[in-house]
PDB file of all heavy atoms in Angstrom:
ATOM      1  N   GLY A  14      13.904  -2.900  15.920  1.00  0.00           N
ATOM      2  CA  GLY A  14      13.383  -3.625  17.069  1.00  0.00           C
ATOM      3  C   GLY A  14      13.068  -2.698  18.207  1.00  0.00           C
ATOM      4  O   GLY A  14      12.832  -1.525  17.998  1.00  0.00           O
ATOM      5  N   GLY A  15      13.208  -3.248  19.383  1.00  0.00           N
ATOM      6  CA  GLY A  15      13.722  -4.539  19.790  1.00  0.00           C
ATOM      7  C   GLY A  15      14.912  -5.047  18.974  1.00  0.00           C
ATOM      8  O   GLY A  15      15.672  -4.287  18.420  1.00  0.00           O
ATOM      9  N   GLU A  16      15.026  -6.340  18.958  1.00  0.00           N
ATOM     10  CA  GLU A  16      16.095  -6.998  18.214  1.00  0.00           C
ATOM     11  C   GLU A  16      15.474  -7.901  17.155  1.00  0.00           C
ATOM     12  O   GLU A  16      14.958  -8.979  17.456  1.00  0.00           O
ATOM     13  CB  GLU A  16      16.989  -7.799  19.163  1.00  0.00           C
ATOM     14  CG  GLU A  16      18.059  -8.609  18.472  1.00  0.00           C
ATOM     15  CD  GLU A  16      18.830  -7.786  17.432  1.00  0.00           C
ATOM     16  OE1 GLU A  16      19.337  -6.687  17.779  1.00  0.00           O
ATOM     17  OE2 GLU A  16      18.917  -8.245  16.277  1.00  0.00           O
ATOM     18  N   PRO A  17      15.518  -7.485  15.876  1.00  0.00           N
ATOM     19  CA  PRO A  17      14.850  -8.253  14.819  1.00  0.00           C
ATOM     20  C   PRO A  17      15.426  -9.642  14.601  1.00  0.00           C
ATOM     21  O   PRO A  17      14.723 -10.522  14.104  1.00  0.00           O
ATOM     22  CB  PRO A  17      15.015  -7.367  13.578  1.00  0.00           C
ATOM     23  CG  PRO A  17      16.148  -6.450  13.886  1.00  0.00           C
ATOM     24  CD  PRO A  17      16.111  -6.232  15.366  1.00  0.00           C
ATOM     25  N   LEU A  18      16.693  -9.881  14.967  1.00  0.00           N
ATOM     26  CA  LEU A  18      17.279 -11.200  14.739  1.00  0.00           C
ATOM     27  C   LEU A  18      16.671 -12.271  15.656  1.00  0.00           C
ATOM     28  O   LEU A  18      16.901 -13.457  15.452  1.00  0.00           O
ATOM     29  CB  LEU A  18      18.790 -11.153  14.933  1.00  0.00           C
ATOM     30  CG  LEU A  18      19.574 -10.309  13.917  1.00  0.00           C
ATOM     31  CD1 LEU A  18      21.067 -10.454  14.144  1.00  0.00           C
ATOM     32  CD2 LEU A  18      19.224 -10.694  12.487  1.00  0.00           C
ATOM     33  N   LEU A  19      15.889 -11.864  16.635  1.00  0.00           N
ATOM     34  CA  LEU A  19      15.205 -12.827  17.486  1.00  0.00           C
ATOM     35  C   LEU A  19      13.964 -13.408  16.816  1.00  0.00           C
ATOM     36  O   LEU A  19      13.429 -14.422  17.263  1.00  0.00           O
ATOM     37  CB  LEU A  19      14.794 -12.165  18.814  1.00  0.00           C
ATOM     38  CG  LEU A  19      15.944 -11.752  19.744  1.00  0.00           C
ATOM     39  CD1 LEU A  19      15.408 -10.989  20.936  1.00  0.00           C
ATOM     40  CD2 LEU A  19      16.726 -12.975  20.201  1.00  0.00           C
ATOM     41  N   ARG A  20      13.514 -12.784  15.733  1.00  0.00           N
ATOM     42  CA  ARG A  20      12.325 -13.278  15.028  1.00  0.00           C
ATOM     43  C   ARG A  20      12.669 -14.563  14.284  1.00  0.00           C
ATOM     44  O   ARG A  20      13.607 -14.605  13.485  1.00  0.00           O
ATOM     45  CB  ARG A  20      11.819 -12.213  14.062  1.00  0.00           C
ATOM     46  CG  ARG A  20      10.519 -12.591  13.376  1.00  0.00           C
ATOM     47  CD  ARG A  20      10.093 -11.537  12.368  1.00  0.00           C
ATOM     48  NE  ARG A  20       8.895 -11.975  11.668  1.00  0.00           N
ATOM     49  CZ  ARG A  20       7.713 -11.400  11.768  1.00  0.00           C
ATOM     50  NH1 ARG A  20       7.549 -10.365  12.560  1.00  0.00           N
ATOM     51  NH2 ARG A  20       6.683 -11.849  11.078  1.00  0.00           N
ATOM     52  N   LYS A  21      11.860 -15.618  14.500  1.00  0.00           N
ATOM     53  CA  LYS A  21      12.175 -16.924  13.935  1.00  0.00           C
ATOM     54  C   LYS A  21      12.008 -16.970  12.421  1.00  0.00           C
ATOM     55  O   LYS A  21      12.747 -17.661  11.732  1.00  0.00           O
ATOM     56  CB  LYS A  21      11.295 -17.998  14.590  1.00  0.00           C
ATOM     57  CG  LYS A  21      11.586 -18.227  16.066  1.00  0.00           C
ATOM     58  CD  LYS A  21      10.698 -19.309  16.644  1.00  0.00           C
ATOM     59  CE  LYS A  21      11.005 -19.533  18.115  1.00  0.00           C
ATOM     60  NZ  LYS A  21      10.153 -20.585  18.723  1.00  0.00           N
ATOM     61  N   ASP A  22      11.023 -16.237  11.900  1.00  0.00           N
ATOM     62  CA  ASP A  22      10.741 -16.301  10.470  1.00  0.00           C
ATOM     63  C   ASP A  22      11.282 -15.085   9.728  1.00  0.00           C
ATOM     64  O   ASP A  22      10.708 -14.623   8.753  1.00  0.00           O
ATOM     65  CB  ASP A  22       9.236 -16.435  10.230  1.00  0.00           C
ATOM     66  CG  ASP A  22       8.438 -15.326  10.912  1.00  0.00           C
ATOM     67  OD1 ASP A  22       9.059 -14.503  11.624  1.00  0.00           O
ATOM     68  OD2 ASP A  22       7.213 -15.274  10.729  1.00  0.00           O
TER      69      ASP A  22
END
Side-chain angles (χ1 to χ4, degrees):
E16 175 48 53
L18 294 185
L19 293 174
R20 185 183 176 114
K21 293 181 180 180
D22 55 356

